[in-house]
Amino acid sequence: MLSNSAVPSRSGHRRLLLGLSALLLSTAALFGPTLSASAHNPAPATVLASDAHTRVSQAPDCVDPEKPRSHGYDAATKNDAAFNKNFRHCFTTIDGVQMHYVIGGRGPQAMVLLHGWPESWYEFHNLMPKLLPGRTVIAIDLPGLGDSTGNPPNYTKQTLATYTHLLLDKIGYRQHVQVVAHDFGVGVAYSLAAQYRTQASGLFLMDFPLVGKNLKFATIQPLEWHFSFNLQEPLAEQLVTGKVSQFLTYFYPTQSHVAQPVPADEVNEYVRVYSRPQVLHAGFELYRTWTQDEAGNARLEATPLTIPVRLLTQDGFAPLLLSAVQDAAPAATGTDVKGAGHWLLDEAPQQVLTEVNNFYPAH
């Protein structure tokens, strides 16, 4: 209890109340508007983090940037300070498809990276920082895949190459682009170089059977179980929907000599993007247009490529795959990577980097 001496008199009590009221009014006048604005317009932490990344990024600005239609596009990179310092995610619409690409560097030489299946631009994420000296590096999610949103009229590699061409034109890389591609990205890269002859200065290709004049889809279809499985429409989608993690976790080792060729962080990212229904469908469509690609490539091969072409393959596949590439580019060279499976960027990253830099010396 308080002693009597501690209890203020009635007049003192009134003065105390008046003083407190004045103090409260002064505080409200000073801080009221600010507190009110904060209460009604909270800034989400994700927006603040994104703004911070934008402020510190050394990457080129996005051209005609758009709000992403793919949620979680930065799930694998938002907490990677080094990535956000050197690269940024960009979105822009090309003929009804919102294209996602990742860009970094301000070097005079442009290098474009084209992914395969079942992967996305992210298969290059460990390689990209090492490619920056002297270059501007652009990794593209192919139309309908990764965090690109919308469906092109078809998934022939000639059509996907046209979208890639138009995107590069729009963001200012119209000539002499160094192209690096893996898996189905190889088919897109070839069509890009063959249809738009001044856009690519060379092709560095990794582990893909380029069907055309001599190599036929009927020849390669029996070589891998998934070539036939992925053709089944809509059965493939029906069986894999809701089980993307199980499917991909099973699939990656079937194309390698090691138990876990693709790291867990990459698997998680690919599960995320292929869990998007349009992406799952688009991935299977890459296979369903392979006979159309064969006919289209045969026509394009009537005018051989004269730019430098280099092919890197998994162990033992160079003879078969290189001969097919030489139908398109007679002077193409190639080699296999001893002991490696299909996932060259994960299984032999240093050899891939060395080969890329030897083929495309940085200026």
Side-chain angles (χ1 to χ4, degrees), residues 45-93:
T46 53
V47 173
L48 292 176
S50 175
D51 289 347
H53 292 160
T54 300
R55 287 196 296 271
V56 302
S57 177
Q58 299 173 359
D61 292 335
C62 300
V63 175
D64 290 340
E66 300 173 3
K67 181 179 179 180
R69 294 169 60 191
S70 176
H71 301 293
Y73 68 91
D74 62 348
T77 61
K78 63 184 177 182
N79 295 320
D80 186 336
F83 171 89
N84 289 296
K85 180 179 179 181
N86 293 306
F87 296 95
R88 76 171 82 242
H89 294 271
C90 296
F91 294 83
T92 192
T93 295

Short mmCIF file of all heavy atoms in Angstrom, two decimals, residues 45-93:
data_model
loop_
_atom_site.label_atom_id
_atom_site.label_comp_id
_atom_site.label_asym_id
_atom_site.label_seq_id
_atom_site.Cartn_x
_atom_site.Cartn_y
_atom_site.Cartn_z
N ALA A 45 6.89 -7.82 -45.70
CA ALA A 45 8.34 -8.05 -45.63
C ALA A 45 8.89 -8.48 -46.97
O ALA A 45 10.00 -8.11 -47.35
CB ALA A 45 8.63 -9.11 -44.56
N THR A 46 8.10 -9.26 -47.74
CA THR A 46 8.61 -9.74 -49.02
C THR A 46 8.82 -8.59 -49.99
O THR A 46 9.76 -8.57 -50.77
CB THR A 46 7.63 -10.74 -49.64
OG1 THR A 46 6.32 -10.15 -49.69
CG2 THR A 46 7.58 -12.02 -48.86
N VAL A 47 7.92 -7.59 -49.95
CA VAL A 47 8.08 -6.43 -50.83
C VAL A 47 9.33 -5.65 -50.45
O VAL A 47 10.12 -5.26 -51.30
CB VAL A 47 6.83 -5.54 -50.75
CG1 VAL A 47 7.06 -4.25 -51.52
CG2 VAL A 47 5.62 -6.28 -51.30
N LEU A 48 9.52 -5.45 -49.13
CA LEU A 48 10.71 -4.73 -48.69
C LEU A 48 11.98 -5.46 -49.09
O LEU A 48 12.94 -4.86 -49.54
CB LEU A 48 10.66 -4.53 -47.17
CG LEU A 48 9.57 -3.58 -46.65
CD1 LEU A 48 9.58 -3.56 -45.14
CD2 LEU A 48 9.76 -2.18 -47.20
N ALA A 49 11.98 -6.79 -48.93
CA ALA A 49 13.15 -7.57 -49.31
C ALA A 49 13.41 -7.45 -50.79
O ALA A 49 14.54 -7.26 -51.24
CB ALA A 49 12.96 -9.03 -48.91
N SER A 50 12.33 -7.53 -51.58
CA SER A 50 12.49 -7.42 -53.03
C SER A 50 13.03 -6.05 -53.41
O SER A 50 13.91 -5.92 -54.26
CB SER A 50 11.14 -7.68 -53.71
OG SER A 50 11.24 -7.47 -55.09
N ASP A 51 12.48 -4.99 -52.77
CA ASP A 51 12.98 -3.65 -53.06
C ASP A 51 14.44 -3.52 -52.70
O ASP A 51 15.22 -2.88 -53.43
CB ASP A 51 12.17 -2.62 -52.27
CG ASP A 51 10.75 -2.46 -52.81
OD1 ASP A 51 10.50 -2.97 -53.92
OD2 ASP A 51 9.92 -1.86 -52.12
N ALA A 52 14.84 -4.13 -51.58
CA ALA A 52 16.24 -4.06 -51.18
C ALA A 52 17.12 -4.74 -52.22
O ALA A 52 18.18 -4.23 -52.60
CB ALA A 52 16.43 -4.72 -49.81
N HIS A 53 16.66 -5.89 -52.73
CA HIS A 53 17.44 -6.58 -53.75
C HIS A 53 17.56 -5.72 -55.00
O HIS A 53 18.60 -5.66 -55.63
CB HIS A 53 16.77 -7.91 -54.09
CG HIS A 53 16.81 -8.90 -52.96
ND1 HIS A 53 15.94 -9.96 -52.89
CD2 HIS A 53 17.60 -8.99 -51.87
CE1 HIS A 53 16.20 -10.67 -51.79
NE2 HIS A 53 17.20 -10.09 -51.17
N THR A 54 16.44 -5.07 -55.37
CA THR A 54 16.46 -4.24 -56.56
C THR A 54 17.45 -3.09 -56.40
O THR A 54 18.18 -2.74 -57.32
CB THR A 54 15.05 -3.68 -56.84
OG1 THR A 54 14.17 -4.79 -57.04
CG2 THR A 54 15.03 -2.78 -58.06
N ARG A 55 17.47 -2.50 -55.19
CA ARG A 55 18.36 -1.36 -54.98
C ARG A 55 19.82 -1.74 -55.06
O ARG A 55 20.64 -0.97 -55.54
CB ARG A 55 18.06 -0.72 -53.62
CG ARG A 55 16.75 0.06 -53.57
CD ARG A 55 16.72 0.96 -52.34
NE ARG A 55 16.74 0.19 -51.11
CZ ARG A 55 15.65 -0.24 -50.49
NH1 ARG A 55 14.45 0.01 -51.01
NH2 ARG A 55 15.72 -0.92 -49.37
N VAL A 56 20.18 -2.95 -54.60
CA VAL A 56 21.59 -3.30 -54.56
C VAL A 56 22.03 -4.07 -55.78
O VAL A 56 23.22 -4.28 -55.98
CB VAL A 56 21.92 -4.12 -53.29
CG1 VAL A 56 21.55 -3.36 -52.04
CG2 VAL A 56 21.22 -5.47 -53.30
N SER A 57 21.11 -4.53 -56.62
CA SER A 57 21.48 -5.35 -57.76
C SER A 57 22.35 -4.58 -58.74
O SER A 57 22.10 -3.41 -59.04
CB SER A 57 20.23 -5.86 -58.48
OG SER A 57 20.60 -6.61 -59.63
N GLN A 58 23.36 -5.25 -59.24
CA GLN A 58 24.22 -4.68 -60.26
C GLN A 58 23.82 -5.13 -61.66
O GLN A 58 24.47 -4.80 -62.64
CB GLN A 58 25.68 -5.07 -59.98
CG GLN A 58 26.20 -4.56 -58.64
CD GLN A 58 27.58 -5.08 -58.30
OE1 GLN A 58 28.18 -5.86 -59.05
NE2 GLN A 58 28.11 -4.66 -57.16
N ALA A 59 22.73 -5.91 -61.76
CA ALA A 59 22.28 -6.43 -63.03
C ALA A 59 21.63 -5.34 -63.88
O ALA A 59 21.16 -4.33 -63.35
CB ALA A 59 21.28 -7.56 -62.80
N PRO A 60 21.57 -5.54 -65.20
CA PRO A 60 20.85 -4.59 -66.04
C PRO A 60 19.39 -4.51 -65.64
O PRO A 60 18.81 -5.46 -65.10
CB PRO A 60 21.01 -5.19 -67.45
CG PRO A 60 22.19 -6.09 -67.37
CD PRO A 60 22.21 -6.62 -65.97
N ASP A 61 18.75 -3.39 -65.93
CA ASP A 61 17.33 -3.24 -65.66
C ASP A 61 16.52 -4.13 -66.59
O ASP A 61 16.94 -4.44 -67.72
CB ASP A 61 16.90 -1.78 -65.86
CG ASP A 61 17.48 -0.85 -64.80
OD1 ASP A 61 17.80 -1.35 -63.70
OD2 ASP A 61 17.64 0.34 -65.10
N CYS A 62 15.35 -4.55 -66.13
CA CYS A 62 14.42 -5.28 -66.98
C CYS A 62 13.86 -4.34 -68.04
O CYS A 62 13.67 -3.15 -67.79
CB CYS A 62 13.28 -5.86 -66.16
SG CYS A 62 13.81 -7.02 -64.86
N VAL A 63 13.59 -4.87 -69.22
CA VAL A 63 12.99 -4.10 -70.31
C VAL A 63 11.49 -4.33 -70.30
O VAL A 63 11.03 -5.49 -70.32
CB VAL A 63 13.60 -4.51 -71.67
CG1 VAL A 63 12.88 -3.78 -72.81
CG2 VAL A 63 15.08 -4.21 -71.69
N ASP A 64 10.71 -3.27 -70.26
CA ASP A 64 9.24 -3.37 -70.19
C ASP A 64 8.82 -4.37 -69.11
O ASP A 64 8.10 -5.34 -69.38
CB ASP A 64 8.66 -3.80 -71.54
CG ASP A 64 8.78 -2.71 -72.59
OD1 ASP A 64 8.95 -1.54 -72.20
OD2 ASP A 64 8.72 -3.03 -73.79
N PRO A 65 9.26 -4.16 -67.87
CA PRO A 65 8.98 -5.14 -66.81
C PRO A 65 7.50 -5.26 -66.51
O PRO A 65 6.74 -4.30 -66.63
CB PRO A 65 9.75 -4.59 -65.61
CG PRO A 65 9.86 -3.11 -65.87
CD PRO A 65 9.97 -2.97 -67.36
N GLU A 66 7.09 -6.45 -66.10
CA GLU A 66 5.70 -6.74 -65.77
C GLU A 66 5.63 -7.43 -64.42
O GLU A 66 6.61 -8.06 -63.98
CB GLU A 66 5.08 -7.66 -66.83
CG GLU A 66 5.09 -7.08 -68.23
CD GLU A 66 4.63 -8.10 -69.27
OE1 GLU A 66 4.25 -9.24 -68.89
OE2 GLU A 66 4.65 -7.77 -70.47
N LYS A 67 4.47 -7.36 -63.79
CA LYS A 67 4.23 -8.11 -62.57
C LYS A 67 4.20 -9.59 -62.89
O LYS A 67 3.51 -10.02 -63.81
CB LYS A 67 2.90 -7.69 -61.95
CG LYS A 67 2.59 -8.40 -60.63
CD LYS A 67 1.27 -7.92 -60.06
CE LYS A 67 0.94 -8.65 -58.77
NZ LYS A 67 -0.35 -8.18 -58.19
N PRO A 68 4.95 -10.41 -62.16
CA PRO A 68 4.99 -11.85 -62.47
C PRO A 68 3.63 -12.50 -62.29
O PRO A 68 2.92 -12.27 -61.32
CB PRO A 68 6.00 -12.40 -61.44
CG PRO A 68 6.76 -11.23 -60.95
CD PRO A 68 5.83 -10.06 -61.04
N ARG A 69 3.28 -13.35 -63.24
CA ARG A 69 2.06 -14.13 -63.13
C ARG A 69 2.32 -15.47 -62.45
O ARG A 69 1.39 -16.19 -62.11
CB ARG A 69 1.45 -14.35 -64.52
CG ARG A 69 0.96 -13.05 -65.17
CD ARG A 69 0.61 -13.24 -66.62
NE ARG A 69 -0.46 -14.22 -66.79
CZ ARG A 69 -0.81 -14.73 -67.98
NH1 ARG A 69 -0.17 -14.33 -69.09
NH2 ARG A 69 -1.78 -15.62 -68.06
N SER A 70 3.58 -15.81 -62.27
CA SER A 70 3.96 -17.05 -61.59
C SER A 70 4.33 -16.74 -60.15
O SER A 70 5.30 -16.02 -59.89
CB SER A 70 5.14 -17.71 -62.30
OG SER A 70 5.57 -18.85 -61.59
N HIS A 71 3.56 -17.27 -59.21
CA HIS A 71 3.85 -17.05 -57.80
C HIS A 71 5.04 -17.92 -57.37
O HIS A 71 5.17 -19.06 -57.80
CB HIS A 71 2.63 -17.38 -56.95
CG HIS A 71 1.42 -16.56 -57.30
ND1 HIS A 71 1.36 -15.19 -57.10
CD2 HIS A 71 0.24 -16.91 -57.87
CE1 HIS A 71 0.20 -14.74 -57.51
NE2 HIS A 71 -0.51 -15.76 -57.98
N GLY A 72 5.89 -17.36 -56.53
CA GLY A 72 7.02 -18.13 -56.03
C GLY A 72 8.19 -18.22 -56.98
O GLY A 72 9.08 -19.04 -56.79
N TYR A 73 8.21 -17.37 -58.00
CA TYR A 73 9.27 -17.42 -59.01
C TYR A 73 10.66 -17.28 -58.41
O TYR A 73 11.65 -17.76 -58.97
CB TYR A 73 9.05 -16.33 -60.06
CG TYR A 73 9.24 -14.93 -59.52
CD1 TYR A 73 10.49 -14.30 -59.57
CD2 TYR A 73 8.18 -14.24 -58.94
CE1 TYR A 73 10.67 -13.03 -59.05
CE2 TYR A 73 8.36 -12.97 -58.43
CZ TYR A 73 9.60 -12.37 -58.49
OH TYR A 73 9.78 -11.11 -57.96
N ASP A 74 10.77 -16.59 -57.26
CA ASP A 74 12.07 -16.36 -56.65
C ASP A 74 12.29 -17.23 -55.41
O ASP A 74 13.16 -16.94 -54.59
CB ASP A 74 12.26 -14.89 -56.29
CG ASP A 74 11.24 -14.40 -55.27
OD1 ASP A 74 10.25 -15.13 -55.01
OD2 ASP A 74 11.42 -13.30 -54.72
N ALA A 75 11.53 -18.31 -55.31
CA ALA A 75 11.62 -19.17 -54.11
C ALA A 75 13.05 -19.66 -53.87
O ALA A 75 13.50 -19.75 -52.73
CB ALA A 75 10.67 -20.35 -54.24
N ALA A 76 13.77 -19.98 -54.93
CA ALA A 76 15.11 -20.54 -54.79
C ALA A 76 16.20 -19.47 -54.68
O ALA A 76 17.35 -19.79 -54.37
CB ALA A 76 15.42 -21.46 -55.98
N THR A 77 15.85 -18.20 -54.89
CA THR A 77 16.89 -17.16 -54.95
C THR A 77 16.66 -15.99 -53.99
O THR A 77 17.57 -15.19 -53.78
CB THR A 77 16.99 -16.58 -56.37
OG1 THR A 77 15.72 -15.98 -56.73
CG2 THR A 77 17.33 -17.67 -57.38
N LYS A 78 15.47 -15.87 -53.40
CA LYS A 78 15.17 -14.64 -52.65
C LYS A 78 16.07 -14.45 -51.44
O LYS A 78 16.28 -13.31 -51.01
CB LYS A 78 13.70 -14.63 -52.23
CG LYS A 78 13.28 -15.73 -51.30
CD LYS A 78 11.78 -15.67 -51.03
CE LYS A 78 11.31 -16.81 -50.16
NZ LYS A 78 9.84 -16.74 -49.94
N ASN A 79 16.62 -15.53 -50.89
CA ASN A 79 17.50 -15.40 -49.73
C ASN A 79 18.97 -15.54 -50.10
O ASN A 79 19.83 -15.68 -49.22
CB ASN A 79 17.13 -16.45 -48.68
CG ASN A 79 15.74 -16.22 -48.11
OD1 ASN A 79 15.34 -15.09 -47.87
ND2 ASN A 79 14.99 -17.30 -47.92
N ASP A 80 19.27 -15.50 -51.38
CA ASP A 80 20.64 -15.64 -51.86
C ASP A 80 21.19 -14.25 -52.16
O ASP A 80 20.94 -13.68 -53.22
CB ASP A 80 20.65 -16.53 -53.11
CG ASP A 80 22.05 -16.85 -53.60
OD1 ASP A 80 22.99 -16.08 -53.30
OD2 ASP A 80 22.21 -17.86 -54.31
N ALA A 81 21.92 -13.70 -51.21
CA ALA A 81 22.40 -12.32 -51.34
C ALA A 81 23.32 -12.15 -52.54
O ALA A 81 23.26 -11.14 -53.24
CB ALA A 81 23.11 -11.90 -50.05
N ALA A 82 24.20 -13.13 -52.78
CA ALA A 82 25.12 -13.03 -53.90
C ALA A 82 24.37 -13.02 -55.23
O ALA A 82 24.68 -12.24 -56.14
CB ALA A 82 26.13 -14.18 -53.86
N PHE A 83 23.37 -13.89 -55.34
CA PHE A 83 22.56 -13.91 -56.56
C PHE A 83 21.89 -12.56 -56.77
O PHE A 83 21.93 -12.00 -57.87
CB PHE A 83 21.51 -15.02 -56.48
CG PHE A 83 20.51 -14.97 -57.61
CD1 PHE A 83 20.76 -15.65 -58.79
CD2 PHE A 83 19.34 -14.23 -57.51
CE1 PHE A 83 19.85 -15.59 -59.85
CE2 PHE A 83 18.44 -14.16 -58.55
CZ PHE A 83 18.69 -14.85 -59.73
N ASN A 84 21.26 -12.05 -55.75
CA ASN A 84 20.50 -10.81 -55.89
C ASN A 84 21.39 -9.60 -56.10
O ASN A 84 20.91 -8.56 -56.56
CB ASN A 84 19.59 -10.62 -54.67
CG ASN A 84 18.45 -11.62 -54.67
OD1 ASN A 84 17.60 -11.61 -55.55
ND2 ASN A 84 18.44 -12.51 -53.69
N LYS A 85 22.64 -9.72 -55.79
CA LYS A 85 23.58 -8.64 -56.10
C LYS A 85 23.93 -8.63 -57.58
O LYS A 85 24.12 -7.57 -58.18
CB LYS A 85 24.85 -8.80 -55.26
CG LYS A 85 25.90 -7.71 -55.52
CD LYS A 85 27.12 -7.90 -54.65
CE LYS A 85 28.17 -6.83 -54.93
NZ LYS A 85 29.39 -7.02 -54.10
N ASN A 86 24.01 -9.81 -58.18
CA ASN A 86 24.50 -9.92 -59.56
C ASN A 86 23.43 -10.16 -60.62
O ASN A 86 23.68 -9.93 -61.80
CB ASN A 86 25.54 -11.04 -59.64
CG ASN A 86 26.80 -10.73 -58.87
OD1 ASN A 86 27.42 -9.69 -59.08
ND2 ASN A 86 27.19 -11.61 -57.97
N PHE A 87 22.26 -10.66 -60.20
CA PHE A 87 21.23 -11.04 -61.16
C PHE A 87 19.87 -10.50 -60.73
O PHE A 87 19.65 -10.20 -59.57
CB PHE A 87 21.15 -12.57 -61.29
CG PHE A 87 22.40 -13.20 -61.84
CD1 PHE A 87 23.37 -13.71 -60.99
CD2 PHE A 87 22.61 -13.28 -63.21
CE1 PHE A 87 24.52 -14.28 -61.49
CE2 PHE A 87 23.75 -13.84 -63.72
CZ PHE A 87 24.72 -14.35 -62.87
N ARG A 88 18.96 -10.43 -61.69
CA ARG A 88 17.57 -10.10 -61.37
C ARG A 88 16.63 -10.90 -62.26
O ARG A 88 16.98 -11.28 -63.38
CB ARG A 88 17.31 -8.61 -61.49
CG ARG A 88 17.18 -8.07 -62.88
CD ARG A 88 16.69 -6.60 -62.85
NE ARG A 88 17.76 -5.65 -62.60
CZ ARG A 88 17.81 -4.86 -61.54
NH1 ARG A 88 16.88 -4.91 -60.62
NH2 ARG A 88 18.81 -4.00 -61.41
N HIS A 89 15.43 -11.17 -61.71
CA HIS A 89 14.36 -11.83 -62.45
C HIS A 89 13.61 -10.77 -63.26
O HIS A 89 13.30 -9.70 -62.75
CB HIS A 89 13.37 -12.49 -61.49
CG HIS A 89 13.94 -13.64 -60.71
ND1 HIS A 89 13.93 -14.94 -61.17
CD2 HIS A 89 14.54 -13.68 -59.49
CE1 HIS A 89 14.47 -15.73 -60.26
NE2 HIS A 89 14.86 -14.99 -59.23
N CYS A 90 13.27 -11.12 -64.50
CA CYS A 90 12.51 -10.20 -65.35
C CYS A 90 11.36 -10.95 -66.03
O CYS A 90 11.47 -12.15 -66.30
CB CYS A 90 13.41 -9.59 -66.43
SG CYS A 90 14.74 -8.54 -65.80
N PHE A 91 10.29 -10.21 -66.31
CA PHE A 91 9.11 -10.77 -66.97
C PHE A 91 8.64 -9.80 -68.04
O PHE A 91 8.52 -8.59 -67.78
CB PHE A 91 7.99 -10.99 -65.96
CG PHE A 91 8.30 -12.04 -64.92
CD1 PHE A 91 9.04 -11.72 -63.79
CD2 PHE A 91 7.87 -13.35 -65.08
CE1 PHE A 91 9.34 -12.68 -62.83
CE2 PHE A 91 8.16 -14.32 -64.13
CZ PHE A 91 8.89 -13.98 -63.01
N THR A 92 8.38 -10.32 -69.23
CA THR A 92 7.81 -9.50 -70.29
C THR A 92 7.05 -10.41 -71.24
O THR A 92 7.42 -11.58 -71.43
CB THR A 92 8.90 -8.70 -71.04
OG1 THR A 92 8.30 -7.72 -71.87
CG2 THR A 92 9.79 -9.60 -71.88
N THR A 93 6.00 -9.90 -71.83
CA THR A 93 5.11 -10.73 -72.66
C THR A 93 5.53 -10.69 -74.12
O THR A 93 5.76 -9.61 -74.69
CB THR A 93 3.65 -10.27 -72.50
OG1 THR A 93 3.24 -10.52 -71.15
CG2 THR A 93 2.73 -11.04 -73.44
#
